[in-house]
Amino acid sequence: MACAGVAAQPAHGELQQGQITFRCNAAPGHFSMMEVVQAPDQQELSGFLQAETMYGNAKWAPSAQVRIADIDSGSWVGVRLLTTVQKKRVITKDASMRLSFASKDQDRPSSDHIVGPVELGKRLAFKIVVRDEDIVLEIAGIQHSMKLKLGARRKIELICSTGNFSFIDVLAQ
């Protein structure tokens, strides 16, 4: 199943069998997003994330996120790529982004556990496993465990801003 998003307009659907590839291209100062309802028996999300182009913008930083979110509470957990680019620049190589594990627990501000830099253009394998309140995040071979309560009604969010990113072979199981 291949899907494409339009800036600031989420795509909706239910992810069952099969994989999604989402080429997320957001103009400077804009974002693009795909939301997919996760089936109740799905506890793992895996795939690849790749940053391809970053755009300069005075207010918005190039970023990409893969998250599993609680539909009812707004809590979420995931992996994030983020960087800054000088205004009016387009970068396609020889740059790095900050890689982090990110989460938000209901009304509290989101938090980041910074993993380190990653090269632009590198394909990064990720996996998110949710078993009750125990969550294991993995990206680029680095794991992080945490506790967070996500309800039974969940969705997958693939988000990018101010750049061109690819979410490849995303699969929920």
Side-chain angles (χ1 to χ4, degrees):
M1 171 188 317
C3 300
V6 177
Q9 293 182 356
H12 298 275
E14 184 169 332
L15 182 62
Q16 293 181 8
Q17 292 184 334
Q19 297 173 329
I20 289 178
T21 294
F22 177 41
R23 307 279 184 217
C24 191
N25 191 0
H30 294 85
F31 76 95
S32 185
M33 165 180 207
M34 176 184 283
E35 293 179 330
V36 181
V37 174
Q38 195 173 18
D41 63 338
Q42 294 173 333
Q43 298 179 357
E44 293 185 16
L45 180 66
S46 63
F48 299 91
L49 174 58
Q50 184 171 340
E52 297 165 1
T53 306
M54 299 181 294
Y55 304 125
N57 184 271
K59 294 182 182 179
W60 290 49
S63 66
Q65 298 181 61
V66 176
R67 305 189 310 202
I68 295 178
D70 184 316
I71 292 172
D72 299 315
S73 75
S75 296
W76 55 263
V77 63
V79 295
R80 180 182 346 223
L81 290 173
L82 179 69
T83 194
T84 56
V85 176
Q86 293 176 355
K87 191 175 179 181
K88 297 185 180 179
R89 288 199 58 201
V90 176
I91 297 176
T92 59
K93 62 182 180 177
D94 300 327
S96 66
M97 300 190 79
R98 185 180 73 215
L99 180 62
S100 66
F101 300 113
S103 63
K104 182 176 183 320
D105 190 359
Q106 294 187 12
D107 296 329
R108 296 184 191 137
S110 64
S111 64
D112 280 298
H113 175 82
I114 297 172
V115 175
V118 65
E119 294 175 27
L120 181 68
K122 185 174 181 181
R123 185 180 280 201
L124 306 168
F126 69 84
K127 183 184 251 186
I128 302 171
V129 180
V130 178
R131 299 224 193 311
D132 298 319
E133 293 182 22
D134 295 318
I135 297 173
V136 177
L137 302 161
E138 182 177 336
I139 191 161
I142 301 166
Q143 279 193 353
H144 178 69
S145 298
M146 62 184 306
K147 299 269 188 195
L148 181 69
K149 178 72 174 159
L150 296 177
R153 292 177 5 104
R154 292 181 235 158
K155 63 183 174 179
I156 297 161
E157 299 175 331
L158 308 176
I159 307 165
C160 80
S161 172
T162 312
N164 185 4
F165 300 86
S166 290
F167 302 86
I168 304 160
D169 296 336
V170 177
L171 178 65
Q173 302 180 55

